[in-house]
Amino acid sequence: MFAACNTPKPPAPPPPEPEIVSVRPVWLDMPLSWEKLVAIEDWLATDGLKSHQSLRIEALLQLNEGRVTYSRKDLERSSAPAQTVRVRIAAARDGFKIVLDDPNAGNASKARAKIGVQSTLALLDSPITSRSDVSIVERSEWRAKAGRAERLTPMRGAWSRITVHHSDESRSPLAGGTLEESEEVVRLIQKFHMEDPDHKWGDIGYHFMIDSAGRIFRGRELKWQGAHAGGAGGVNNLQNLGVCLLGDFSKRSPTEAAFKSLELLLSSLREEHKIPAARVFPHKEFTTTQCPGPALTNWLKDNVR
Ligand SMILES: [Zn+2]
């Protein structure tokens, strides 16, 4: 017998590594354009899933840097609805944060992501000033929890009155603050309204909130009655839009920026829903409360009613 006959077969080669797509993605050689951003989004959702991590990080950076560039242009030229641009900027901010949180991202990538986050925050922080349309921070932007329909009352008829409140809390930055700080306050108010045993409401009670920088946040959707003016069985909430200025104004006055946005919002809501000036109320007209404080109550008297 030849020893060779008994030689065991060489071991089978190890199974191949999971396939890594090594084709150079098209977007890598494209100049900045909307087509390029769409190509990156497509790639991230398809080939990118099987691609090398460093290439995926590069894709995320280029995609979100592109979103920032186009958002800045849109804001300068008012060439897209403010809300669309804000949602895009918020998406870019979240994209950069993914890179910052990725342990595989190198220092250079993280530095780009950090610059990216800062530029998105600066863009989101530019409060509305000269624009004539009302720009609103939408629920998706402040990351609202979904409302609980079983606890909400559908809106019937037409909105016929507006009630103004202050949030009467000390978390809100008094002199503007950043968008993220205000978003956090709005989330806390929503949490309180939905989870506090004395409330347990289906959603945040107000339809709109305004921070000290003049940013307007969408609260409860307009297909639902609000929860803000009380009365037996919530009778005061019927057909009553709730607008709340963030902060405690029992001893202070809201900022000029907040008043300016309140004026803009009230005139826009009054026009849209045909609500006469005499039907814009401070909360205290419905119930024994100091809300919304003397400065805001007087402002309503002097400027609206
Ligand atoms: Zn109130």
Side-chain angles (χ1 to χ4, degrees), residues 163-167 206 228-229 243-244 282-284 287 289-292:
T163 298
V164 175
H165 305 260
H166 70 151
S167 59
Y206 312 110
H228 55 90
V243 175
C244 178
H283 184 189
K284 62 194 286 184
T287 178
T289 173
Q290 289 309 304
C291 178

Side-chain angles (χ1 to χ4, degrees), residues 57-58 61 65 96 99-100 104-116:
I57 287 165
E58 181 63 25
L61 287 170
E65 285 164 352
F96 287 126
V99 176
L100 279 179
N104 297 301
N107 286 340
S109 299
K110 290 210 178 198
R112 275 167 73 189
K114 208 166 175 183
I115 291 170

Side-chain angles (χ1 to χ4, degrees), residues 160-163 238-240 275-281 305:
S160 67
R161 48 187 173 167
I162 303 173
T163 298
L238 298 178
Q239 297 171 296
N240 192 350
I275 299 172
R279 301 275 293 164
V280 180
F281 303 101
R305 310 185 70 200

Side-chain angles (χ1 to χ4, degrees), residues 50 56 110 125 140 164 195 230 239 241 250-251 270:
K50 295 179 282 177
R56 281 211 306 275
K110 290 210 178 198
D125 275 341
S140 57
V164 175
E195 294 178 16
Q239 297 171 296
L241 287 161
S250 50
K251 295 199 179 73
R270 285 186 45 218

